[in-house]
Amino acid sequence: MPSTPPPGEPAPADGALPPSAAAGAAGRSFGLYLHVPFCAVRCGYCDFNTYTAAELGGGASRAEYAGTAAAELALAAAVLERAGLPRRPAATVFLGGGTPTLLPAADLAAMLDAARATVGVGPDAEVTVEANPDSVTPASLGDLAGAGVTRVSFGMQSAVPHVLAALDRTHDPERVPQVVRWARAAGLAVSLDLIYGTPGESLGDWRRSLDAALAEAPDHVSAYALVVEQGTRLAARVRRGELPMPDDDDLADKYELADDVLAAAGYAWYEVSNWARTPDDACRHNLGYWRGDDWWGVGPGAHSHVGGVRWWNVRHPAAYAARLGAGESPAQAREVLDPGQRHAERVLLGVRLAAGLPLEALAVPGRAAVPDLVDGGLVAPGAVAGGRVALTRRGRLLADTAVRALLP
Ligand SMILES: C[S@@+](CC[C@H](N)C(=O)[O-])C[C@H]1O[C@@H](n2cnc3c(N)ncnc32)[C@H](O)[C@@H]1O
Ligand code: SF4
């Protein structure tokens, strides 16, 4: 859960949703995001809502966290039912962070049990856990698989020691092949997260990281351009001139290299930063976000979206636990999106998918911009002929420009 949330309007203390949230719900899938706001060390580039033991302070503890999250799950089931939503067991569950695997596997299993007992989890649900390579063992991965986890996403980031050091990552690159082997032995699908554009990373370093990731034959790869987030140690170092700001041309070269190397190894992109070995290996949970489906985000700072109502929880684990302890919703504020905002979200997120958007999803001025985007090489002419707007590789590199032209 990165960055500062928008201001929004006050959220009701009982979490009640407006009647509009239920409209059309039967046609949307439902996912659960379970946030775990703990990390052993804070990486200098990361502004996710996560706390080291020293940062956590009083009023919240790791040991009590699964129970607190279970209280929000009970609230979620009651709120959805009261709002008249049909019962939709979660088609996907994503335990994200932070570092969920800092909690004992039994606590994550308890959170999944609470999800099953409240909102429900579908029998074929995709259940992902994010993990730092330092924070798993063969036994913990086996326990997670036994608890219903189907997929693990490791924060590999790089295979090159000086790049990992610049990112403040604590794991030894040799650890990645080992944890992937353990995950496979436990029967879990594997995704690897990579970051490119770290200060000091050469194109050769990036190639080495891609090759090392591919050597593990993961089912899925995410490759993110390093974002210098306000308020992080990385941003302070860039501001002081100790480190250079990531360079746009260098980032573009690294994106193209990733796309070439991953495509040559048989991985197809399905979202600007995500590649999968087969369509079934795509992350169904994240696809739900990008397609505008419904999801409930449990945990401090977690965001939710149900039928055009978006809300976000108080950020600090102590404030979160206090709200739930008092029988109140942890929602800090919410927004009821108007049709214009819903349209903007659909275009903004949908156009980043390889499947693109139907042309009729665009408003008239957006549709009028398509021929120029085709001429500029940003939108694929073949897709347009088939009635859809999908980005070319140049379009993916200039996705913000394409979105600005398509949005009016
Ligand atoms: C919650 S973390 C994954 C699990 C675990 N905490 C870890 O880092 O190993 C989610 C992913 O977000 C990405 N990420 C976080 N901050 C980023 C930033 N400033 N720029 C680019 N990617 C970032 C990293 O690739 C990270 O793996
Ligand atoms: S381990 Fe992951 S969530 Fe924690 S600070 Fe690092 S990148 Fe952020």
Side-chain angles (χ1 to χ4, degrees):
M1 292 291 110
S3 344
T4 315
E9 59 181 57
D14 63 358
L17 292 171
S20 61
R28 296 188 300 269
S29 87
F30 178 67
L32 262 183
Y33 173 74
L34 305 178
H35 187 61
V36 179
F38 309 118
C39 284
V41 178
R42 175 175 292 270
C43 308
Y45 57 88
C46 178
D47 81 337
F48 283 50
N49 190 36
T50 186
Y51 302 80
T52 61
E55 288 168 344
L56 195 57
S61 79
R62 285 185 194 170
E64 285 164 15
Y65 186 70
T68 311
E72 188 181 354
L73 284 161
L75 175 96
V79 165
L80 292 169
E81 194 184 338
R82 267 207 314 274
L85 280 114
R87 186 173 160 81
R88 292 171 301 168
T92 63
V93 183
F94 196 99
L95 287 134
T99 307
T101 45
L102 260 197
L103 292 184
D107 287 15
L108 302 181
M111 288 167 69
L112 289 174
D113 283 344
R116 290 187 191 97
T118 51
V119 294
V121 176
D124 302 321
E126 171 196 271
V127 181
T128 304
V129 170
E130 280 186 334
N132 182 315
D134 276 338
S135 65
V136 293
T137 63
S140 71
L141 289 166
D143 289 348
L144 290 172
V149 170
T150 61
R151 190 172 176 270
V152 59
S153 172
F154 288 116
M156 172 177 171
Q157 322 308 358
S158 171
V160 179
H162 77 86
V163 177
L164 287 169
L167 291 171
D168 299 322
R169 299 297 297 200
T170 52
H171 67 265
D172 181 332
E174 291 307 313
R175 178 88 176 165
V176 172
Q178 199 176 32
V179 297
V180 171
R181 237 184 1 261
W182 296 341
R184 291 239 179 267
L188 297 169
V190 172
S191 178
L192 297 176
D193 279 354
L194 296 171
I195 288 182
Y196 58 93
T198 301
E201 181 191 58
S202 68
L203 202 58
D205 290 335
W206 176 229
R207 171 87 209 213
R208 217 173 116 192
S209 294
L210 287 164
D211 288 344
L214 287 173
E216 302 315 317
D219 303 287
H220 183 278
V221 176
S222 302
Y224 301 114
L226 179 67
V227 178
V228 178
E229 302 283 5
Q230 291 293 327
T232 58
R233 276 204 312 282
L234 175 67
R237 294 184 68 192
V238 169
R239 207 175 41 248
R240 289 197 298 267
E242 290 167 25
L243 293 173
M245 189 72 179
D247 170 76
D248 284 346
D249 290 337
D250 178 61
L251 291 175
D253 289 347
K254 286 176 178 163
Y255 183 82
E256 290 189 342
L257 180 65
D259 197 44
D260 285 342
V261 169
L262 290 165
Y267 293 75
W269 76 281
Y270 69 97
E271 193 275 344
V272 170
S273 304
N274 289 277
W275 288 259
R277 197 150 60 163
T278 73
D280 285 347
D281 295 316
C283 177
R284 280 161 49 204
H285 184 82
N286 286 342
L287 279 170
Y289 295 150
W290 298 322
R291 289 176 178 154
D293 282 331
D294 290 349
W295 73 89
W296 191 294
V298 169
H303 286 232
S304 302
H305 170 262
V306 176
V309 185
R310 198 161 51 187
W311 69 96
W312 46 93
N313 287 348
V314 292
R315 282 173 72 81
H316 198 280
Y320 172 76
R323 287 272 192 112
L324 284 160
E328 284 178 17
S329 158
Q332 180 184 325
R334 76 176 186 193
E335 277 177 333
V336 180
L337 302 179
D338 63 31
Q341 289 169 309
R342 289 183 84 167
H343 167 256
E345 292 220 332
R346 179 152 187 229
V347 173
L348 196 81
L349 299 170
V351 88
R352 294 174 63 88
L353 296 172
L357 276 171
L359 274 170
E360 62 269 17
L362 301 175
V364 174
R367 243 174 284 169
V370 170
D372 277 352
L373 292 171
V374 170
D375 286 347
L378 272 66
V379 162
V384 174
R388 299 189 73 82
V389 199
L391 297 176
T392 58
R393 184 154 80 178
R394 182 173 153 75
R396 284 185 267 154
L397 281 166
L398 298 171
D400 292 346
T401 310
V403 165
R404 265 197 302 280
L406 293 169
L407 253 185

